[in-house]
Every structure is written in C-alpha cells, then in structure tokens.
Amino acid sequence: MENNLGAAEDAAARLRNLAADRNALAAGAAPPRTLLAGLGGVAACWVAGAADTHPGAAYESPSWTWLLVGLLFVILHLIQRDTGLKFRRLGARATGAVSAAVLLCLFLFSVSLGLVSLGITWAVTLTGLAAFVLVSWLAEVAYRAAVDHLRTVSLPRA
C-alpha cells in the first residue's frame, strides 16, 4: 500500500513540474513576427489583387491567387515547425482571431472590387495596406491566444 502512495505522490510531483515547465515555456514564447508579417503580406497581395480584375458581368478571378494559397500553407507550415503549435488545437480565442482575419480579407477584397469598378484603382493600395496591418496584428493575437490556450489546457490528474 505504501508503494502505491509513494508512486502516486511521485506522479503528482512530476505533473506539477510538467505544468510549471509548460507555463515557463509559454511565458517565454516569442511570436515569430516575420512569419506573422508574411501572413499579412499574403493577405495584402490577395486584397490588392482586385486591382488586376475587371469587375462586372465578365468577371474572372485572377488565376495567380492560387500561388498565394500555396504560400499561405508554406508559411503556416513554417510557423508550426518553428513554434510547435498544432493548428487543430488553437482554442476559441485564436480561432476567433483567425476567423476575423478571413472575414476582414473578404470584406476588404469586396471593397477593393468596388473601388476598381468605380475607376479608383489607386485606392486599392490603401485596402491592401489595411489588410497587411490588420491581418499581421490578428495573426499575433491568434498566436498569443494559442499559447495561452496551451498554458491552460488541463493535465491529467494523478
């Protein structure tokens, strides 16, 4: 009986140490700013791609945007490789920030199409810049939320 009690106390101490290590790692995790800015760059290119279109009845989306999708997956892979974050387990706040970034890009792309249809193509530069700044910021918000989520995920009880 004493062996079981000692083993349980040892397991509980190891779990406490693991939780302390996880908190220390999460506190020191610096966001990969260059890669997060890369996500903003992909968003800016996509939104600014509206300047290359001809909105109206004969609208065709640019075919080169598939290259941006490929680049997006490369950047996401690099973030996962460098940080170890699994994108399936980001948490609700991080998922909300990512969803907001996607919706924001769709909105800005629609605004850009409207500007192009009005002949104000130069203003698409502003929507592209807004996409870069806002998506880079939302990517950092999502990263920090994902790290906080990892910190608060409960460990199994001893």
Side-chain angles (χ1 to χ4, degrees):
M1 184 77 168
E2 224 173 272
N3 274 345
N4 287 340
L5 185 58
E9 288 174 1
D10 183 46
R14 286 179 188 226
L15 282 175
R16 280 192 300 275
N17 289 340
L18 182 61
D21 289 346
R22 183 176 56 184
N23 285 334
L25 285 171
R33 288 192 182 357
T34 305
L35 294 172
L36 298 178
L39 293 174
V42 168
C45 286
W46 184 67
V47 168
D52 191 32
T53 63
H54 304 289
Y59 172 77
E60 289 184 28
S61 64
S63 59
W64 58 266
T65 56
W66 288 107
L67 292 173
L68 293 177
V69 173
L71 184 58
L72 174 68
F73 283 115
V74 168
I75 293 172
L76 292 175
H77 170 73
L78 291 174
I79 290 172
Q80 186 171 353
R81 185 194 70 187
D82 290 352
T83 64
L85 287 176
K86 303 282 188 206
F87 292 110
R88 292 181 296 271
R89 302 179 199 131
L90 293 179
R93 282 185 19 225
T95 303
V98 170
S99 299
V102 169
L103 291 174
L104 176 79
C105 285
L106 290 171
F107 172 75
L108 288 173
F109 186 76
S110 297
V111 168
S112 296
L113 286 176
L115 292 170
V116 170
S117 71
L118 294 173
I120 315 172
T121 306
W122 63 267
V124 173
T125 305
L126 300 176
T127 56
L129 182 61
F132 174 78
V133 170
L134 293 171
V135 169
S136 296
W137 174 71
L138 284 170
E140 187 164 342
V141 168
Y143 176 83
R144 292 191 186 283
V147 169
D148 287 344
H149 176 71
L150 284 177
R151 184 184 308 176
T152 60
V153 171
S154 64
L155 292 170
R157 299 283 175 198

